[in-house]
């Protein structure tokens, strides 16, 4: 790809050297650099990519993106940017031709329930005749492909690469767990989401965020910054659990905006559960939506899983999936491996 085309929308401060280069690939790990690659020097938590610029050049890199001062040489193009980590996501989006722009992308965030919601939505989407993929804690999967998950949400460039492979495989929708680390480190900044789901917030990851308020602020930015407009002419959706106190706060702050779908068991919401029966390995309830109600009998346990069912229902409802497909998808969904699985004694 032409270097100038690759740098589109990157916040470039200065360029030294020729811009007339063809770039064959991008790396942010110097060990993966090859001939005619662009190397992005990112200052990480454990190591600083700026220290590995010489190795990247030795391996064949012909362009270097950096934010700290580095030694420059005529043999490669040096591109100083305001934020290397942000540049990495934009470069990935450009290099892989914006893969999330042509597939349905659903982000699920919150402390608990993300993985189960991805399994439920995967089942619902398949029942609706779609080709779903999942990027999450357990693995990354689509079609017959299953990859081990390196992170809940991959680094920005790797995420764009992954989405491109999923798109090229004919997948129509991707359900992705969006961690607070990914939001804070801006890994999903250059993804185009159709909707986002807020599950809940409990005391976790405070070693990273410091306070619950900072933890909430990280989650909130997903809904205010990345889901505040339209995608392909349709308003982006914001699905919020109003049984959770942080969810109620988020819903209240977003209330003037459109594209909000609330869900809850105890709270008044767009998507609600009535006539609830919680048994061992089974949930029965009547799910009420603005388009009508339907009964469910799901092979899951616990009140928290009923909340997960409501989240998946609300998201599917926003996507326009028929209630019959939502009902069937919930009832045949497989439980998350290792999460309260029912084990026979025989």
């Amino acid at each position: 790809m032409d270097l100038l085309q690759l740098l589109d929308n990157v916040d470039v401060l200065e360029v030294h050297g020729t811009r007339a280069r063809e770039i064959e690939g991008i790396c942010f790990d110097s060990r993966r650099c090859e001939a005619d690659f662009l190397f992005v020097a990112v200052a990480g938590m454990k190591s600083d990519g700026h220290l590995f610029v010489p190795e990247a050049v030795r391996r064949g890199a012909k362009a270097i993106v950096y934010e700290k001062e580095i030694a420059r040489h005529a043999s490669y193009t040096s591109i100083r940017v305001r934020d290397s980590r942000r540049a990495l996501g934009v470069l990935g989006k450009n290099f892989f031709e914006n893969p999330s722009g042509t597939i349905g992308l659903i982000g699920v965030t919150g402390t608990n329930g993300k993985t189960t919601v991805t399994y439920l939505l995967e089942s619902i989407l398949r029942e609706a005749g779609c080709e779903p993929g999942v990027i999450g804690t357990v693995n990354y999967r689509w079609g017959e492909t299953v990859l081990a998950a390196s992170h809940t949400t991959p680094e920005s460039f790797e995420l764009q690469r992954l989405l491109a492979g999923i798109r090229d495989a004919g997948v129509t929708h991707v359900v992705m767990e969006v961690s607070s680390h990914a939001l804070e480190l801006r890994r999903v900044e250059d993804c185009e989401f159709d909707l986002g789901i807020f599950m809940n917030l409990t005391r976790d990851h405070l070693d990273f965020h410091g306070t619950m308020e900072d933890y909430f602020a990280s989650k909130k930015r997903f809904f205010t910054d990345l889901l505040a407009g339209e995608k392909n002419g349709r308003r982006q959706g914001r699905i919020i659990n109003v049984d959770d106190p942080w969810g109620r706060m988020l819903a209240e702050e977003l209330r003037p905006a459109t594209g909000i779908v609330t869900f809850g068991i105890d709270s008044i919401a767009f998507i609600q559960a009535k006539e609830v029966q919680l048994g061992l390995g089974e949930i029965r309830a009547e799910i009420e939506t603005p388009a009508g109600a339907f009964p469910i009998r799901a092979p899951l346990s616990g009140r928290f899983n009923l909340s997960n069912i409501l989240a998946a229902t609300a998201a599917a409802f926003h996507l326009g999936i028929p209630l019959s497909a939502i009902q069937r998808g919930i009832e045949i969904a497989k439980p998350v491996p290792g999460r309260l699985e029912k084990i026979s004694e025989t």
Side-chain angles (χ1 to χ4, degrees):
M1 177 176 283
D2 179 76
L3 179 59
L4 280 176
Q5 182 182 355
L6 196 57
L7 293 174
D8 187 39
N9 290 322
V10 175
D11 191 0
V12 175
L13 299 178
E14 58 180 328
V15 177
H16 294 269
T18 180
R19 304 183 187 210
R21 290 191 185 277
E22 282 293 318
I23 300 299
E24 297 297 326
I26 298 173
C27 60
F28 57 96
D29 181 338
S30 60
R31 296 168 296 184
R32 297 184 179 182
C33 276
E34 298 178 20
D36 299 320
F37 268 42
L38 179 148
F39 174 66
V40 184
V42 178
M45 295 180 181
K46 296 181 179 179
S47 62
D48 189 342
H50 293 80
L51 300 175
F52 299 95
V53 168
E55 181 183 358
V57 172
R58 182 177 62 81
R59 289 176 178 270
K62 292 301 181 183
I64 306 294
V65 168
Y66 66 100
E67 62 182 73
K68 300 179 181 180
E69 196 58 43
I70 63 169
R72 296 189 290 267
H73 192 272
S75 63
Y76 55 86
T77 304
S78 304
I79 304 146
R80 188 165 72 91
V81 298
R82 198 173 304 278
D83 184 336
S84 292
R85 188 175 292 280
R86 276 295 299 119
L88 183 63
V90 180
L91 290 164
K93 181 178 181 178
N94 291 342
F95 188 77
F96 295 109
E97 300 178 324
N98 188 21
S100 62
T102 53
I103 54 178
L105 184 59
I106 303 160
V108 189
T109 196
T111 309
N112 302 307
K114 297 188 296 295
T115 302
T116 299
V117 172
T118 65
Y119 272 73
L120 287 165
L121 275 171
E122 179 184 27
S123 180
I124 291 169
L125 287 163
R126 187 171 287 117
E127 191 62 24
C130 304
E131 289 292 333
V134 174
I135 298 175
T137 304
V138 175
N139 52 40
Y140 311 146
R141 60 188 184 276
W142 64 94
E144 300 299 318
T145 300
V146 180
L147 304 177
S150 56
H151 297 83
T152 297
T153 315
E155 183 57 77
S156 59
F157 181 78
E158 295 304 327
L159 178 56
Q160 294 294 329
R161 185 205 304 274
L162 186 60
L163 287 169
I166 292 172
R167 172 200 60 196
D168 295 346
V171 168
T172 60
H173 295 77
V174 173
V175 191
M176 177 166 66
E177 293 186 47
V178 179
S179 69
S180 58
H181 290 69
L183 290 167
E184 196 66 27
L185 297 174
R186 308 180 81 173
R187 293 176 183 167
V188 297
E189 202 86 3
D190 299 290
C191 295
E192 296 186 9
F193 288 90
D194 290 73
L195 62 89
I197 304 170
F198 179 90
M199 295 302 301
N200 48 59
L201 213 61
T202 61
R203 295 186 67 83
D204 200 0
H205 306 305
L206 297 188
D207 57 328
F208 181 80
H209 294 286
T211 67
M212 286 295 290
E213 288 71 24
D214 287 343
Y215 187 16
F216 175 67
S218 178
K219 298 289 190 184
K220 176 183 172 182
R221 198 172 64 79
F222 181 39
F223 296 88
T224 56
D225 294 4
L226 304 185
L227 292 163
E230 293 185 349
K231 177 181 175 181
N232 298 330
R234 183 176 181 180
R235 184 77 187 189
Q236 292 169 296
R238 289 173 280 191
I239 315 301
I240 302 172
N241 178 13
V242 289
D243 280 342
D244 181 79
W246 294 97
R248 287 195 297 274
M249 185 186 305
L250 178 62
E252 284 301 319
E253 293 183 18
L254 297 177
R255 190 69 66 183
T258 57
I260 297 175
V261 179
T262 57
F263 66 91
I265 302 170
D266 302 316
S267 307
I268 297 174
F270 282 103
I271 308 295
Q272 289 187 279
K274 300 291 185 180
E275 301 178 21
V276 176
Q277 298 178 49
L278 302 176
L280 183 61
E282 183 177 80
I283 295 173
R284 296 191 186 196
E286 186 83 5
I287 308 298
E288 295 186 348
T289 80
F294 61 90
I296 56 120
R297 183 177 179 179
L300 298 169
S301 298
R303 187 179 181 82
F304 61 94
N305 269 325
L306 178 56
S307 184
N308 295 336
I309 288 170
L310 292 176
T313 299
F317 177 79
H318 179 80
L319 291 173
I321 293 175
L323 299 187
S324 58
I326 298 174
Q327 178 188 35
R328 178 65 178 158
I330 291 168
E331 294 187 337
I332 66 172
K334 296 178 181 179
V336 179
R339 308 280 180 91
L340 289 179
E341 283 185 277
K342 190 174 181 180
I343 299 175
S344 174
E345 292 183 347
T346 59

